[in-house]
Amino acid sequence: MTRTALVLGAGMVGVSCALALQKRGITVTLIDRREPGCETSYGNAGVLAASSILPLNNPSLYAKIAGYLGNRHPALNLSWRRAFSRPGWLLRFLWEARPSQGVARIAALQALTASTVERHRALMAEAGVSHRLRETGTLKLWRTEAGHEAAQAEHDFLKRHGIESQILDRQGISGIEPNLNPIFPAGLLIPCVGSVDSPGAVTAAYAALFAKRGGEIEQGEIRALARNGGGWRVSTEKGTFEADIAVVALGPWSADLLKPLGLDPKLDVERGYHRHLKPEAGTGLSRPVYDVDGAYYMAPMEQGFRITSGVDLSFRDAPDEHRQIDGATAAAREAFPLGEVVGETWRGARPTLPDSLPMIGEAPRNPGLWLAFGNQHIGFSTGPITGEMIAAMVCGETPPADPKPFAPRRYIR
């Protein structure tokens, strides 16, 4: 029976794995180079995405490719040098968008996202941070009259999958968000979506709960992962740690650690940015809003209003490219009375696999090595169920979602 575990990575997925294993009586050490919640889990829009069931690479991507290629669209910045460095990954990503794959991938994503608000609500109560949770939905907005048709299509899609939404016209949008400038003729309110006012603080609170319950948190650069007899050994700048099992939940850095073991998970990264701005006095938003044509989220946060950017497909550690976040900031100012910028512009990276599904399960040919990464844009939402799935499989229980679509064997041979 497994009695000790090393969880590598203290973002939402890693912390959730640590909590779920701990709950089953396993002694867990959580290791990361930074404090919990300071990397990818810090920088998202704080949305608990119960409605994010459509893969990033769905059939509609094919019609959009031409508009993305010149790096003029706010949704995408593409480094051609990076694209040509891994052409096989990009081709597989496009291949997975074919219609025949859609039904199965949508079902897999919905299995992960359906309980996200419920799971976070319970964890926030246990961690004493329920005040950070909003259950006011999220609002998608379109700037042109064509948005009416798009909103209807998305409403119909969500309805087919049992998710409620409400189509709004300009007057309806002003009725629920009166401080938005009336530049959006069409909107879609999705009530089941939750949000938080500081995703980094929520992740840190979950880690504090883990520590309060006796878990160990070690901060140090992870240098190597190796078998250790029947278990696993992790070497860090602070020393060596050993346990019966290891869980790799390092997000966009996971492949770096697995490569020396001869494991290639076909992982790549999408960079993204955010910037905080103060709202003008007397104004506010009740929920995050997504400007479809501007390709940004504007989310009320503890630090101000967080404006997020589209996807930057540059090398993970390349210098910043602020074209998208500058454009998003300008577009957000058109939509809402925003004041001064607060703090520095943040950049992070999201881990993505070619089919837009995470990798959740035991690594082939490596007993006791468990993989939990690749949750793309929805890792903050799906961290808790990912942790429960890993812990259930480790302990021989039935996981809360079918693990087959997320099996590492689909990419690792």
Side-chain angles (χ1 to χ4, degrees), residues 24-89:
R24 288 161 173 81
I26 296 171
T27 300
V28 183
T29 302
L30 180 65
I31 307 173
D32 202 327
R33 66 180 181 180
R34 299 188 65 186
E35 294 180 358
C38 288
E39 297 277 10
T40 305
S41 294
Y42 171 82
N44 59 79
V47 173
L48 303 179
S51 63
S52 291
I53 63 174
L54 189 65
L56 298 172
N57 48 341
N58 61 78
S60 70
L61 177 64
Y62 297 134
K64 299 175 183 176
I65 290 175
Y68 288 157
L69 295 183
N71 280 345
R72 292 184 296 272
H73 197 285
L76 181 69
N77 183 73
L78 176 63
S79 162
W80 287 103
R81 194 162 69 89
R82 179 260 177 91
F84 288 133
S85 72
R86 297 190 70 187
W89 190 96

Side-chain angles (χ1 to χ4, degrees), residues 280-297:
E280 289 188 3
T283 63
L285 286 174
S286 299
R287 56 188 58 78
V289 300
Y290 183 71
D291 182 341
V292 176
D293 300 294
Y296 67 87
Y297 258 108

Side-chain angles (χ1 to χ4, degrees), residues 157-398:
F157 168 77
L158 293 174
K159 185 177 180 180
R160 289 196 298 272
H161 293 89
I163 298 173
E164 176 192 353
S165 64
Q166 181 182 353
I167 299 172
L168 301 174
D169 58 14
R170 201 183 305 266
Q171 184 175 356
I173 293 167
S174 294
I176 64 169
E177 293 293 358
N179 294 133
L180 280 174
N181 293 329
I183 63 172
F184 302 103
L188 189 70
L189 175 66
I190 309 175
C192 68
V193 176
S195 59
V196 304
D197 68 355
S198 178
V202 170
T203 307
Y206 293 176
L209 176 65
F210 165 75
K212 182 180 178 180
R213 292 173 173 173
E216 294 292 330
I217 301 177
E218 297 288 343
Q219 188 174 342
E221 189 80 34
I222 298 170
R223 292 175 172 167
L225 171 67
R227 291 179 191 251
N228 179 42
W232 289 87
R233 177 190 298 115
V234 171
S235 302
T236 78
E237 61 180 340
K238 300 288 182 66
T240 300
F241 301 87
E242 299 176 353
D244 298 326
I245 68 166
V247 180
V248 177
L250 285 166
W253 298 276
S254 297
D256 297 353
L257 194 64
L258 296 174
K259 186 177 180 180
L261 297 173
L263 302 176
D264 179 7
K266 304 298 186 291
L267 183 71
D268 214 326
V269 302
E270 306 168 57
R271 305 202 316 172
Y273 303 80
H274 80 226
R275 184 175 285 162
H276 292 122
L277 289 87
K278 288 291 186 185
E280 289 188 3
T283 63
L285 286 174
S286 299
R287 56 188 58 78
V289 300
Y290 183 71
D291 182 341
V292 176
D293 300 294
Y296 67 87
Y297 258 108
M298 178 163 50
M301 291 281 176
E302 190 174 57
Q303 305 95 321
F305 277 20
R306 178 172 294 182
I307 312 301
T308 68
S309 75
V311 172
D312 177 15
L313 290 181
S314 301
F315 287 108
R316 185 187 65 197
D317 301 320
D320 286 3
E321 167 53 70
H322 282 177
R323 175 186 68 85
Q324 290 167 288
I325 191 63
D326 288 345
T329 303
R333 289 189 183 281
E334 295 172 354
F336 191 89
L338 293 167
E340 63 182 7
V341 174
V342 180
E344 301 292 326
T345 297
W346 178 90
R347 187 195 83 215
R350 308 177 187 99
T352 302
L353 292 158
D355 58 3
S356 293
L357 301 179
M359 190 166 281
I360 307 172
E362 194 170 25
R365 310 185 314 278
N366 288 270
L369 178 60
W370 294 84
L371 309 181
F373 54 79
N375 298 64
Q376 34 105 353
H377 292 244
I378 56 174
F380 186 76
S381 300
T382 58
I385 193 170
T386 299
E388 286 293 329
M389 289 175 69
I390 288 288
M393 288 187 282
V394 165
C395 295
E397 304 169 6
T398 301

